[in-house]
Amino acid sequence: MKKKVFFLAVILVLVIAGMSLRNNNVSFIIKRARLNSVVDYTVLKYRIYILGLFPVGEIMLNKPVEADFMGKQVFRLHAFARTFDYLSKIYQADATLDSYIDKASSVPLFFREELIAKGKKSVKEVSYDQKKLVMKIEGVERKILPSTYDPLSLMHKLIKTDLAATKEIKMYINSNQKNYVFVAGLIYSGSKIMNEQNNIFTIDGKIKRVDKNPYHQTSLTIKFLKKDENIPLLIRVFAGGMLVTARLTEVK
């Protein structure tokens, strides 16, 4: 009986390890999403995993579109995230994010987050004055640092950055109250998939409070495929003892 239990445990560990390796393998992601044949896209679709193994939701990241914001022509960034239906009895939520960014600098002018969780809706709106270095949230002004981003505009900036010419990334973030800084290094690796050379860049860094509070830190790793712009293949976030990953599954 003990041998049987041990054998089943070994099989389970091997299956879990195999799933984890597949979910985090960039070659598998590129093949599955057929990125070698992608010329352009309008939506990037990601599956969210807890611990890199258990699928709990999905994210849709739209390509920027031109929009009018308070009489000024800007780019509108849009993303939508939701938990899967099978989790409805435990926890169900969906979130809509919109960021209106300056065309020239890509810094945000306005950020909106709408969250529906357990049937309750909450909305957060943040306006940025990047010249005066202030942001306003719920009628309260707070000081920000030069070129401060929200989470959506931060990702957009990374997608547009020439990673081959970049040695280190340092970006400020604030979409709530406190100023954070994202500092990361880059690693380049090439891979040949389906007879095509792919340029993979890995950004590996931490998001920390600018006031150096040691209890508010998040590790962030993103693997990009270099095309006309950088396509995020895999995103890993480790915060509060929990690992969450997002894997690209579809390009439309």
Side-chain angles (χ1 to χ4, degrees), residues 30-134:
I30 291 170
K31 288 179 181 177
R32 184 72 179 268
R34 299 178 181 176
L35 285 171
N36 284 335
S37 60
V38 169
V39 177
D40 199 5
Y41 68 90
T42 55
V43 179
L44 299 175
K45 188 174 180 179
Y46 296 82
R47 182 164 293 177
I48 307 169
Y49 294 85
I50 296 295
L51 303 179
L53 291 172
F54 309 106
V56 294
E58 61 184 2
I59 302 172
M60 276 71 74
L61 181 64
N62 287 26
K63 195 164 187 177
V65 296
E66 290 190 2
D68 178 86
F69 177 74
M70 299 183 67
K72 183 177 182 179
Q73 287 299 303
V74 300
F75 284 123
R76 176 184 176 236
L77 313 178
H78 177 77
F80 174 76
R82 72 176 187 93
T83 54
F84 287 139
D85 292 340
Y86 80 88
L87 293 171
S88 59
K89 291 185 178 179
I90 304 172
Y91 182 79
Q92 189 169 28
D94 60 61
T96 303
L97 307 178
D98 289 285
S99 182
Y100 296 82
I101 65 172
D102 181 78
K103 279 188 173 183
S105 62
S106 293
V107 293
L109 304 176
F110 185 78
F111 174 71
R112 187 178 192 273
E113 175 188 281
E114 181 179 302
L115 175 66
I116 301 176
K118 297 181 179 179
K120 295 182 179 180
K121 178 179 175 180
S122 63
V123 176
K124 177 171 68 176
E125 295 184 338
V126 185
S127 59
Y128 298 87
D129 190 324
Q130 300 281 355
K131 292 182 179 179
K132 293 181 179 179
L133 297 181
V134 294

Side-chain angles (χ1 to χ4, degrees), residues 6-7 59 67 71 87 99 125 135 144 154 166 179 182 186 215:
F6 176 76
F7 179 75
I59 302 172
L87 293 171
S99 182
E125 295 184 338
M135 59 176 260
I144 59 174
L154 174 80
T166 304
N179 289 307
F182 173 50
L186 283 90
Y215 300 105

Side-chain angles (χ1 to χ4, degrees), residues 130-146:
Q130 300 281 355
K131 292 182 179 179
K132 293 181 179 179
L133 297 181
V134 294
M135 59 176 260
K136 184 179 288 186
I137 178 172
E138 296 180 350
V140 178
E141 283 194 353
R142 301 184 184 277
K143 291 183 179 180
I144 59 174
L145 294 161

